[in-house]
Amino acid sequence: MSKKNKVAFVCDQCGADYPRWGGQCTSCGEWNTIKEVRLGGTTERNNRSAGYAGSRSEVRLLSDVNLSKAERIFSGISEFDRVLGGGIVCGSVVLIGGAPGAGKSTLLLQAIANIAARGVSVLYVSGEESLQQIAERAHRLKLPADKIMMLAETSVQRICDVMDEIKPQILVIDSIQVMHTQDTESAPGSVSQVRESASYLTQYAKKQGVSIFMVGHVTKDQSLAGPMTLSHIVDTQVMLGSTDDARFRVLRADKNRFGSVGELGFFAMDSTGLKEVKNPSAMFLNRPDKPSSGSVVTVLWEGTRPLLVEIQALVTECQYGNPRRLAVGFDQNRLAMLLAVLSRHGGIFTANDEIYANVVGGIKVTETSSDLAIVIGVVSSLRDKVIPHDVFFFGEIGLSGEIRPVANGHARLNDAAKHGFKKAVIPKANAPKKAIDGLEIHGVSTLSEALDILSEM
């Protein structure tokens, strides 16, 4: 039966499809993202198994489903296993993205070297680098290379044929953007090729129980290249990025079907590869000996652990017509909202001043527990009030000036006490019933109470 090729137009940002080309995607609002996709033949599409998980299954009652935990393989890198949810789940598909030079291939090579040394069969498929380049990197990192199987290939069907022969437990694809399937006629790297290649490999992983790592490229705005469908196909999506200090790398889970989302792993880059940072709070609290105004410490909650970070604020007279409001590391709109609350309920007006706020270390703040620290930092800089090094603040600020409690307050306090902090200003609802040794706790319920404590320092 002859195959009839079909053509569709798909947005490579959100995956919406259209009958014809258009300049703007009406689904996500992006311009010039609708690309022509050549679909496979009719016979081929009818024979394809439904879904990314592979073969069809029978209808079952939810109560009859086996609740045993999935088997995991430990990489020997605790920060890497933490982000994955406690280890590598057998049969899972993990997509790891990051900017060029972030260390994606280095991290995976270190992980599979540790795994292979324990007798687990691994296969590293390179579609961009030569095998000699990878061998030189392994030699430079002083990794054991006698147990790692290598393959230079870009055909997905050929890769699966090789896996049928050697039957590895873990597969690394570097990278998914250069892979191609013979059933799709478009060029490698196109929307259809990336989607079909990832779908083919995912089906193989679910059927054979092979854990697959796919390396993904990123665009200029640091989002994963290729169709948005790619993020839906995989089980876990992690991003490896760098902080403002280029020595450190942060691994974040954006999607995880086998663990918590938002978990962070911290690494330091040196000549021997990526090294784990066991105490990330110490990394972000490298402060000068002499305290200065506008500098305040808060305790964030990232994934399953607390993280101490320093927030700096600078208030200066406006030199031009319109005062600037600049926030680095957190939402700029939230800074504007907090300044409005400070004006209304704190009696401190900053409308004629320029305000700059920064989270030290390049960490991105995504929760509201840093609200109180940001406002205290602004007031500290405005009044030139120095905050001692052993004091920290956390709490969410409401629009009526109330200080709201945050999650995991007791764990935050314990972690700060371990790092030598002596005084805490926190929401009154987060104040523990039992005292913590060496920590003086001040519970506040309104913004004015927190400002009074700052004035007494």
Side-chain angles (χ1 to χ4, degrees):
M1 183 181 295
S2 63
K3 295 194 300 182
K4 181 180 179 182
N5 290 326
K6 295 183 179 181
V7 174
F9 296 89
V10 180
C11 174
D12 59 7
Q13 292 293 323
C14 66
D17 58 340
Y18 300 91
R20 62 184 63 86
W21 183 87
Q24 184 184 26
C25 174
T26 57
S27 178
C28 63
E30 296 292 331
W31 286 89
N32 300 322
T33 57
I34 301 177
K35 309 295 183 183
E36 180 180 347
V37 177
R38 191 176 300 276
L39 304 176
T42 306
T43 304
E44 164 197 310
R45 292 176 62 84
N46 290 337
N47 292 335
R48 226 179 122 183
S49 58
Y52 301 120
S55 59
R56 296 181 176 88
S57 60
E58 301 296 331
V59 177
R60 300 172 61 186
L61 290 175
L62 183 60
S63 58
D64 296 335
V65 177
N66 186 7
L67 296 179
S68 60
K69 292 185 178 180
E71 183 182 354
R72 292 181 184 266
I73 300 173
F74 299 103
S75 67
I77 305 176
S78 59
E79 291 292 303
F80 186 57
D81 290 338
R82 174 194 290 271
V83 174
L84 296 181
I88 305 168
V89 177
C90 296
S92 64
V93 181
V94 180
L95 176 64
I96 176 170
K104 304 181 295 295
S105 301
T106 300
L107 178 60
L108 288 177
L109 190 60
Q110 290 180 243
I112 65 172
N114 293 338
I115 296 172
R118 299 199 304 269
V120 179
S121 58
V122 298
L123 174 62
Y124 192 109
V125 178
S126 176
E128 297 179 345
E129 294 180 289
S130 66
L131 298 185
Q132 182 181 2
Q133 290 174 313
I134 300 175
E136 290 176 352
R137 180 186 299 125
H139 179 72
R140 186 178 70 250
L141 300 177
K142 299 179 181 179
L143 299 175
D146 56 337
K147 300 292 181 64
I148 303 175
M149 294 180 287
M150 303 295 301
L151 175 65
E153 184 60 63
T154 58
S155 172
V156 172
Q157 284 83 0
R158 167 61 180 158
I159 294 171
C160 292
D161 290 341
V162 172
M163 286 196 293
D164 288 336
E165 297 176 5
I166 63 177
K167 299 191 180 302
Q169 294 175 261
I170 294 181
L171 170 69
V172 175
I173 300 291
D174 190 3
S175 67
I176 188 61
Q177 270 79 15
V178 299
M179 296 296 150
H180 71 277
T181 174
Q182 300 171 2
D183 299 331
T184 305
E185 299 180 1
S186 57
S190 62
V191 173
S192 57
Q193 280 287 9
V194 173
R195 183 183 65 240
E196 295 300 322
S197 298
S199 175
Y200 196 102
L201 290 170
T202 302
Q203 290 183 14
Y204 187 93
K206 300 304 178 182
K207 291 178 181 178
Q208 305 298 329
V210 180
S211 301
I212 298 180
F213 287 91
M214 301 179 186
V215 177
H217 296 167
V218 295
T219 60
K220 61 182 180 180
D221 60 351
Q222 300 303 307
S223 61
L224 279 167
M228 189 63 187
T229 315
L230 185 61
S231 299
H232 298 291
I233 294 175
V234 300
D235 297 313
T236 304
Q237 176 181 315
V238 297
M239 297 294 292
L240 183 63
S242 60
T243 63
D244 291 344
D245 189 342
R247 295 175 300 168
F248 298 106
R249 302 289 189 271
V250 179
L251 186 69
R252 177 188 291 272
D254 294 333
K255 171 190 177 182
N256 195 350
R257 291 173 178 163
F258 306 107
S260 61
V261 177
E263 191 71 68
L264 294 182
F266 297 92
F267 301 89
M269 175 68 81
D270 59 16
S271 58
T272 58
L274 291 171
K275 302 297 182 182
E276 299 178 77
V277 178
K278 298 293 186 180
N279 186 8
S281 294
M283 179 179 74
F284 294 111
L285 286 181
N286 188 12
R287 310 171 73 188
D289 295 334
K290 184 179 180 180
S292 59
S293 61
S295 175
V296 60
V297 173
T298 188
V299 189
L300 306 177
W301 191 263
E302 294 290 347
T304 58
R305 63 180 172 185
L307 184 65
L308 288 157
V309 298
E310 178 188 358
I311 293 179
Q312 292 181 335
L314 175 64
V315 180
T316 181
E317 294 182 1
C318 179
Q319 303 295 327
Y320 306 101
N322 296 320
R324 296 189 64 187
R325 303 285 192 270
L326 181 62
V328 179
F330 55 92
D331 188 11
Q332 188 162 329
N333 293 326
R334 191 157 193 88
L335 174 62
M337 184 194 74
L338 294 175
L339 293 176
V341 175
L342 179 63
S343 175
R344 176 67 181 271
H345 300 285
I348 298 177
F349 302 95
T350 59
N352 298 323
D353 297 317
E354 291 191 347
I355 298 177
Y356 304 89
N358 174 49
V359 182
V360 178
I363 194 73
K364 303 297 181 183
V365 177
T366 57
E367 61 168 352
T368 58
S369 64
S370 61
D371 288 354
L372 182 58
I374 294 171
V375 171
I376 293 297
V378 170
V379 177
S380 170
S381 177
L382 179 66
R383 296 178 174 176
D384 198 21
K385 183 73 174 180
V386 176
I387 300 175
H389 273 345
D390 58 354
V391 181
F392 68 96
F393 300 77
F394 68 78
E396 179 183 352
I397 298 179
L399 291 179
S400 58
E402 78 277 14
I403 307 297
R404 296 177 174 269
V406 299
N408 305 298
H410 196 273
R412 299 178 197 237
L413 293 172
N414 286 331
D415 188 70
K418 292 178 182 178
H419 285 83
F421 284 84
K422 304 298 183 183
K423 189 174 183 178
V425 180
I426 63 172
K428 195 171 185 178
N430 281 127
K433 296 180 180 179
K434 293 184 179 180
I436 298 177
D437 292 339
L439 187 62
E440 179 185 350
I441 299 175
H442 295 268
V444 295
S445 56
T446 62
L447 178 59
S448 58
E449 293 179 13
L451 295 178
D452 291 339
I453 294 176
L454 175 63
S455 301
E456 296 172 359
M457 290 183 181

